[in-house]
Amino acid sequence: MKETQLKKQFSERDLKRMRNIIQKKYNDKTVTSVGYTKAEELREDGDVWEEDGRTWTIKNGIKRNVRKTASLAMPLLCPNCGTPMNHHLDKRMYNIHQMCLHCVTEMESELKMKGKYEEYERNMIMNNARYAADTTLNGLDDFLDDLVNGTYVMEDGTIQNWVGNGLDTVQLKQQILEKLQKIKEATKTE
């Protein structure tokens, strides 16, 4: 019989890998690497730090990236009851109450049974009115500037310059501020 020879040469790394596979040592390394390894600091739950331009924290033993929009993130499960939050109104309820629609419904039912629902409803309406007044106040100067010197691009690409002919922005701003002040006074918490 004629002896066969391999035409291809195997590197030492390939041979080590094949030996490791045959000996069922699947996780053994075939190459020794030398280099710099960064020393890791021991961190505990709740620690917040910045690394590589990102903010990190540890929650429940897991390292997580802190998102800039963390307040907008909705969890998969309700923090109150642990059920999946997959109803189309769960996101809205979570943004307001930090719980799912089912938990909000149960909470409001309990408030009705205790006779405290009217107070709860009044507080929700007052908070919404205060928020609307604050939001209006924040964008008031930009609104008045656009009203007087607005340049708008229309759907067909034409540019329109709107000029407030004879519009007294100081007086208009004063009237709006007076109305916002009345709203704030009416919605003050007792």
Side-chain angles (χ1 to χ4, degrees):
M1 261 207 204
K2 187 175 176 188
E3 208 173 301
T4 59
Q5 289 185 346
L6 288 174
K7 303 243 184 218
K8 183 177 178 183
Q9 292 293 322
F10 291 101
S11 67
E12 185 63 30
R13 180 180 177 190
D14 295 334
L15 288 174
K16 272 186 179 179
R17 180 70 182 141
M18 283 188 259
R19 285 185 192 121
N20 289 343
I21 290 173
I22 292 170
Q23 295 172 357
K24 297 185 180 179
K25 298 178 184 176
Y26 302 110
N27 295 328
D28 284 2
K29 294 182 179 180
T30 58
V31 176
T32 304
S33 59
V34 179
Y36 170 77
T37 55
K38 188 167 128 181
E40 260 189 58
E41 294 181 34
L42 294 176
R43 303 192 189 272
E44 297 177 10
D45 273 3
D47 287 352
V48 178
W49 71 96
E50 190 150 330
E51 183 177 301
D52 299 329
R54 298 176 97 181
T55 306
W56 297 89
T57 186
I58 294 183
K59 285 187 181 177
N60 300 328
I62 299 171
K63 180 179 171 183
R64 296 180 179 190
N65 184 14
V66 177
R67 293 188 271 173
K68 292 178 183 172
T69 58
S71 61
L72 302 176
M74 185 179 85
L76 296 174
L77 302 175
C78 174
N80 199 25
C81 66
T83 59
M85 298 204 332
N86 50 13
H87 192 275
H88 71 280
L89 293 175
D90 281 339
K91 184 174 184 179
R92 185 176 292 170
M93 291 300 121
Y94 182 77
N95 288 338
I96 298 170
H97 301 285
Q98 281 68 48
M99 59 180 100
C100 68
L101 175 65
H102 180 71
C103 292
V104 170
T105 306
E106 285 183 357
M107 176 196 63
E108 289 178 350
S109 297
E110 287 178 22
L111 288 173
K112 284 181 182 179
M113 287 190 291
K114 293 177 182 176
K116 298 180 179 179
Y117 182 77
E118 288 77 21
E119 180 184 346
Y120 161 79
E121 185 179 30
R122 187 176 64 251
N123 286 337
M124 291 294 290
I125 291 170
M126 295 298 175
N127 287 338
N128 287 340
R130 268 188 243 113
Y131 177 76
D134 290 341
T135 305
T136 304
L137 187 61
N138 290 340
L140 183 60
D141 290 329
D142 291 335
F143 168 73
L144 291 174
D145 187 45
D146 285 346
L147 189 63
V148 174
N149 301 319
T151 301
Y152 300 96
V153 179
M154 306 312 280
E155 290 178 356
D156 60 355
T158 59
I159 298 175
Q160 292 185 359
N161 291 322
W162 292 8
V163 179
N165 291 332
L167 186 64
D168 185 11
T169 57
V170 175
Q171 182 183 3
L172 183 61
K173 184 176 182 176
Q174 186 63 33
Q175 290 174 355
I176 293 173
L177 289 174
E178 287 173 8
K179 298 271 186 190
L180 290 176
Q181 188 62 33
K182 286 180 184 178
I183 289 172
K184 284 187 174 188
E185 287 174 8
T187 60
K188 274 187 182 174
T189 56
E190 288 97 28

